[in-house]
Amino acid sequence: MQPRIVVTRRIPDPALELLARAGKMWLSPHDRPLTRTELQRSVSGADALVTLLHDRVDGPLLDAAGPQLRCVANVAVGYDNIDVAAATERGVVVTNTPGVLTDATADLALALILAVTRRLGDGERLLRARIPWSWHMFFMLGTGLQGKTLGVIGLGAIGQATARRARAFGMNIAYTSRRPAPREVEAELGGARRLPLDELLSTADVVTIHVPLSPNTHHLIDAERLRQMRPEAYLINTARGPIVDERALARALKTQELAGAGLDVFEREPEIDPELLELDNVVLVPHLGSATVETRTAMAVLAAQNVIAVLRRERPPTPINPEVLDPAGAPAPGA
Ligand code: DGY
C-alpha cells in the first residue's frame, strides 16, 4: 500500500512533485494554518507529515496520526513547534531544514541592521505620508556601522553568516556561545571575542539573536537584560519571537533606553504588540528570514527528501532525533 503523506499547507511545486511520486499525498486545500481540529483530522492514518512552523506537533497530534506514523518533516530550521521527545518516544523521526536558509536569514539580519540604523522605515513613512521635506545637514541622521561592535548571541551557522556580512561593513564581532568557536572561525571574523552575555549586552552597539527557542532561551532578553544594553544600542531578532520579552522591549524603545530594534519574529505571531506598532524606532517585518523563492524551494525539497528517505528506511539528510534511527540509519524496527 502506498504511504500516506500529509502536507499541512502548500509548499513549492518541486517538493510536492517529489512527495506525490513517493506516496499518496494529501495537501491542505486551505491557504491558512489548519485549525487544531482540522490538523488532528487530516493527520489520521499518515505515514509522514510535512509541517510548517505554525503547526503544533505534540503527543496528542502524533497519537491522532496513529502508530504507523514514521516521520515529521518540519519545513524550517527551527523546530520549537514540535515536541521532539514525544516523537522520539513514539519512534517517529523528526527532521528540519538546516543550512539551506543560512544565507537568506543572515541577509535579512543585515537588512534589519541597516534599516534601523539608517532609519529607512522613518524615511519611507515620511515620504508616503507626503510630508514636505528638504535635505539638510541634520535631516534623519542615523548611525554608521564602521568600527562598531556587533554582539552575536549564538554563533551557529546563521550567527556566523551574519557576522561575516557585518565584517564587510567594518564591524567588530563579539559573541556568546555555549562553546568557543573554532579558532579559524574567530580569526575569519577578525578576531571575534567570546564574552559572557552580560558583558556582550553592555558593550555591543548592535545585538543580534541567533539561538533556537527552548525553555532555556524563552525571554532570554527580558527587561533586566534590556537595561544592560547601552541606550545607543540596537537589538535585532530574526530567530524566534519569544526569546525576547516583547512588552519589555516596547517599553525600552518607548523610553529610549534602547536606540532601536529590527524584528522579523514576534512573541505571539502573527499578532504584534500594539505598542511596537506605534513606535518609529523599530523596523518590523513579518517573519521573512527565509523568504526568497530559492530558499523556500530548497527548504521544501530538503523536507521532501527527508520524508522520502525515512519512508524508504534510509537515513534522512537532516534528522533531529537520530537516536530513533537504527545504526544503519533507517528508522528502527517497529518505528
Ligand atoms: C526557520 O526555518 O526556522 C525560519 O524561521 C523560517 O523562516
Side-chain angles (χ1 to χ4, degrees):
M1 208 173 59
Q2 279 202 313
R4 173 169 151 77
I5 303 168
V6 168
V7 183
T8 62
R9 195 166 178 180
R10 202 179 140 227
I11 56 174
D13 286 346
L16 290 176
E17 284 156 20
L18 287 174
L19 292 169
R21 283 202 293 272
K24 199 165 167 350
M25 185 180 72
W26 179 86
L27 169 64
S28 166
H30 305 292
D31 185 21
R32 57 165 172 78
L34 293 176
T35 64
R36 183 72 182 170
T37 314
E38 288 170 337
L39 202 52
Q40 271 178 327
R41 264 195 220 123
S42 61
V43 300
S44 172
D47 297 279
L49 305 180
V50 177
T51 53
L52 301 184
L53 49 81
H54 50 58
D55 300 318
R56 184 162 50 86
V57 181
D58 53 13
L61 191 81
L62 296 166
D63 291 338
Q68 75 298 324
L69 182 69
R70 278 152 65 188
C71 178
V72 176
N74 210 36
V75 192
V77 65
Y79 50 87
D80 47 282
N81 58 314
I82 298 183
D83 183 342
V84 179
T88 304
E89 253 171 51
R90 290 160 177 78
V92 174
V93 183
V94 180
T95 64
N96 67 340
T97 60
V100 292
L101 46 71
T102 300
D103 285 327
T105 309
D107 287 349
L108 192 88
L110 237 292
L112 286 173
I113 294 173
L114 289 166
V116 68
T117 56
R118 297 301 301 273
R119 304 183 56 184
L120 301 190
D122 278 347
E124 261 259 322
R125 280 188 292 275
L126 176 107
L127 295 186
R128 288 181 188 278
R130 295 178 164 74
I131 294 171
W133 64 283
S134 73
W135 190 97
H136 65 85
M137 290 294 282
F138 307 99
F139 182 54
M140 278 212 178
L141 299 188
T143 304
L145 298 177
Q146 296 68 30
K148 303 281 171 62
T149 297
L150 179 70
V152 183
I153 300 182
L155 200 67
I158 299 174
Q160 285 181 34
T162 303
R164 231 173 272 127
R165 284 156 174 75
R167 285 291 297 156
F169 284 82
M171 297 191 82
N172 304 313
I173 309 300
Y175 70 97
T176 65
S177 175
R178 270 177 305 176
R179 279 177 292 278
R183 276 188 196 288
E184 57 278 15
V185 171
E186 290 188 343
E188 188 206 345
L189 297 176
R193 289 174 307 139
R194 178 166 172 251
L195 297 178
L197 180 58
D198 294 352
E199 201 179 327
L200 178 127
L201 291 173
S202 61
T203 53
D205 298 283
V206 179
V207 172
T208 183
I209 301 173
H210 299 288
V211 284
L213 175 61
S214 72
N216 291 335
T217 61
H218 182 267
H219 281 193
L220 176 70
I221 305 298
D222 59 8
E224 198 185 319
R225 292 253 160 80
L226 287 166
R227 272 195 295 275
Q228 291 173 343
M229 291 179 67
R230 302 168 47 239
E232 305 81 25
Y234 298 86
L235 180 70
I236 307 297
N237 189 5
T238 53
R240 283 291 181 270
I243 297 171
V244 177
D245 179 343
E246 207 165 272
R247 269 281 143 80
L249 174 63
R251 228 166 289 137
L253 290 167
K254 196 169 179 178
T255 53
Q256 282 164 17
E257 285 164 66
L258 201 63
L263 304 178
D264 181 41
V265 287
F266 303 92
E267 215 177 327
R268 285 165 290 275
E269 281 178 28
E271 279 167 47
I272 316 282
D273 188 302
E275 259 196 300
L276 282 179
L277 293 169
E278 299 303 320
L279 296 169
D280 279 330
N281 54 350
V282 57
V283 175
L284 306 167
V285 293
H287 207 143
L288 298 180
S290 61
T292 68
V293 173
E294 298 84 349
T295 302
R296 288 283 164 83
T297 304
M299 289 164 72
V301 166
L302 178 52
Q305 289 165 342
N306 276 310
V307 166
I308 292 165
V310 174
L311 293 178
R312 285 186 186 149
R313 300 203 173 271
E314 291 166 5
R315 187 182 174 85
T318 50
I320 290 165
N321 54 350
E323 63 274 24
V324 173
L325 304 167
D326 72 18

